[in-house]
Each structure stands twice: as C-alpha cells, then as structure tokens.
Amino acid sequence: MAQIGRDVWQAEKILLHGGLVAIPTETVYGLAGNALNIDSITKIFQVKKRPTFDPLIVHTSSIEKAKSLVVDFPPMAQKLAELFWAGALTLLLPKQLIIPDLVTAGLDTVAIRIPNHPITLQLLTRLDFPLAAPSANPFGYISPTKPTHVKQQLGDKIAYILDGGDCKVGIESTIIGFENDQPVIFRLGGISVEKIEQVVGKVKVKSHSTSNPQSPGSLKSHYAPIKPFFINDIKPLLTRYRPHQIGALVFGEYLKEVPSKNQLNLSVAGDFIEATKNLFSMMRQLDQMSVKVIYATLLPEKNLGRAINDRLRRAAAQ
Ligand code: TXA
Ligand code: MG
C-alpha cells in the first residue's frame, strides 16, 4: 500500500529507478514517471488503465528546461510562459526527438507545463529529466485533489504519494496550442479564457468530442463519478427518483426539490475560485453518499465557471 509522506528524497529515489510517484500540483495530483524512460511511461498507462492514444503532459521546472524539449518556442508561447508559469497552463509545442512517441501518442507536439507547487518544483529542480504526469486517477474517473484520493484509487499500485496538501486550484491546467501562429485553447482549465485573452487577444476554444484527432484525450465522457450524473433539468429525475435518492451539487443557492443534507455547495458566496477548489472533492463525496443519482447545477458561463461547466458536462455525458 502506498505511503503518504513529504520526503522529496524518497520520491527522487523511486523516480531515478524508473518507478512512479504521485506528486502534488496546484491543479490536481499527478501520477509521475521519467518522461524520457519508455518503461516508466508504459507503467503510467498501465496503472491508470489509460489508452495509449491519450498523450501525457510533461512537467519541468524552468522555461530553459522546457525549451530543451521542443524544436520551437514561438514568441506568443514565451509571453504566455513568462506570465503564467509556474502555473495552471500547459503549452503544446513541436517536440524534440528525445521525447518518446509514447508520451505524445505519436503526435509531433508535446504538452509541457511548470506546475506551481513548492515541493514538486523542488523535486523537478533536483531531477535531470522531466516528469510525465497525467492526473493520478483511474482513466475516466474524477481527478484527485488530496493525497487520500490518490491512495483510495491507486494506493495498491504505487509505492509513494508525495504529500503537498489539498490542491489550491482544484481543476486541471488550461491547454493552449498554436494553429497558424494563433493560440487555441484545447482544454478549459485553471486559468480562465478571460485571463488568457487579456494577454493574447481573442482565442478560439476547441470543443471537445470523442473524435477530436488533435486532442485525442479530450474525450467527451470523462471526469465522471460512478453514480449516474445529470445536469440541465432536475424535473425528469424527480419523476424517477424520490428526493432523498438524489444528491445535488449546487453553486450559491440550494435547491428546494432535494433535502438539504443531500446537497453540497461549491461556494455559498458564489465565488468561482472557491467553487473550482471544491469541485472534484465534492463530486467524490456525492459519489460516496447514500443516494442513487447525482444532479449538478451549471454555473454562469464565464470565468472559471466555464471550465467547471466543461467538467460537469463531461461527467454527465455517459
Ligand atoms: O493540471 C494538469 O494538467 C494535470 C496535472 C497533473 O499537471 N495533468 C493532467 O493530465 O490533467 P491528463 O493526462 O489528465 O490530461 C492531459 C491532457 C489529455 O487530455 C491529452 O489529450 C492532452 O492533455 N494532451 C497531451 N498532449 C497533447 C498533445 N500533444 N496535443 C493535444 N493534447 C494533448
Ligand atoms: Mg486526467
């Protein structure tokens, strides 16, 4: 069973030997291995039961190191990196040959980010290789935002979980790629579209689908709890279930239709940052509650509300 601890040296030792360690980041916990070692990468896919057509994000600790992994770092990427790294931003850039094809699922771009967490930055600074790290959850399930989330689901498959406390952002990074030198958002995430647009002007947001060849991992059904998950309209649910059989995830106001003890509020004050931090952990709590189905209200379609709605829609798309 995995040990939860704060020993960076222990984590470093395991990684140097090609093993895997769960690492904290400000967004979600990652399942990390040496990004340049095929055996480590293979283990990541196996432990997560992740299909190999879904590429991984490579984590590093400086812009300089990031540059050594790509063949081009355009001025727009430089600007974004300077402003948002270390932080919840992932850039898609043309990869160097040293990045194994397994990491990028055969694509010629690699996803790179510098995570903003002191203990993981310390680890990355000590290592002379970057870390490939998808979210540390079984494929298709909700991402972990606490060490115990990782232990519950992957504890029997890995040796060590580096404890960095609760994730401060709580949702995965915003992924930005470039098409004809223009930035394009491939995945909504911890840095809002509004914040990105303040820097680079209007950006296109790619809609996710099950057949988006350029972001094969952005499957529509994802981030899902085990229980049936619904959004949009609660009325059809009320014809099929008794109110006490429904668990609800709300934002600001509580629902009249469901007992209050079955409701978790992302943010009573209607604060997007607080809601983002609570999202995945509350989805997990609802999954463990003695209810039959989960209903979630969508947030206003702006700021981090957009990224939260994206995850809620995907959870409901089963
Ligand atoms: O916040 C995060 O990004 C977290 C933490 C651990 O850093 N990581 C994370 O990784 O969310 P993962 O594997 O759960 O999601 C990575 C996503 C996948 O959906 C994949 O499709 C996309 O990144 N991706 C990776 N490389 C890509 C590429 N070259 N082109 C397009 N999409 C890519
Ligand atoms: Mg994931």
Side-chain angles (χ1 to χ4, degrees), residues 77-186:
Q78 178 80 30
K79 198 169 168 185
L80 288 166
E82 278 171 13
L83 279 164
F84 295 115
W85 280 353
L89 170 75
T90 293
L91 294 174
L92 302 176
L93 296 164
K95 82 176 192 78
Q96 281 280 11
L97 279 174
I98 46 159
I99 304 282
D101 286 333
L102 191 54
V103 169
T104 63
L107 296 172
D108 52 16
T109 54
V110 57
I112 301 190
R113 112 176 168 92
I114 302 180
N116 189 13
H117 194 292
I119 199 168
T120 291
L121 281 174
Q122 198 187 331
L123 176 67
L124 285 164
T125 308
R126 284 160 72 149
L127 295 169
D128 63 0
F129 51 81
L131 293 176
S135 50
N137 53 284
F139 183 70
Y141 196 71
I142 306 161
S143 298
T145 53
K146 295 171 189 286
T148 49
H149 293 164
V150 183
K151 187 158 179 172
Q152 279 153 19
Q153 293 188 303
L154 302 180
D156 57 344
K157 300 195 177 78
I158 56 173
Y160 201 65
I161 300 167
L162 192 56
D163 183 359
D166 292 2
C167 298
K168 292 214 162 74
V169 174
I171 203 169
E172 298 85 350
S173 59
T174 303
I175 301 182
I176 298 190
F178 300 88
E179 288 178 353
N180 307 316
D181 290 331
Q182 289 306 304
V184 175
I185 295 183
F186 281 66

Side-chain angles (χ1 to χ4, degrees), residues 140-143 153 221-230 249 279-280 282-288 293-296 311-318:
Y141 196 71
I142 306 161
S143 298
Q153 293 188 303
S221 168
H222 216 98
Y223 308 102
I226 293 160
K227 288 194 178 129
F229 193 90
F230 298 90
L249 186 65
L279 178 68
F280 289 146
M282 287 188 171
M283 282 170 76
R284 276 172 193 264
Q285 274 175 264
L286 284 162
D287 214 13
Q288 275 148 28
V293 290
I294 304 168
Y295 172 78
R311 303 304 189 268
L312 295 176
R313 288 193 181 101
R314 291 200 217 191
Q318 291 172 65

Side-chain angles (χ1 to χ4, degrees), residues 23-41:
I23 55 165
T25 83
E26 79 282 35
T27 59
V28 300
Y29 273 74
L31 177 65
N34 181 346
L36 309 181
N37 178 330
I38 305 272
D39 290 341
S40 307
I41 304 305

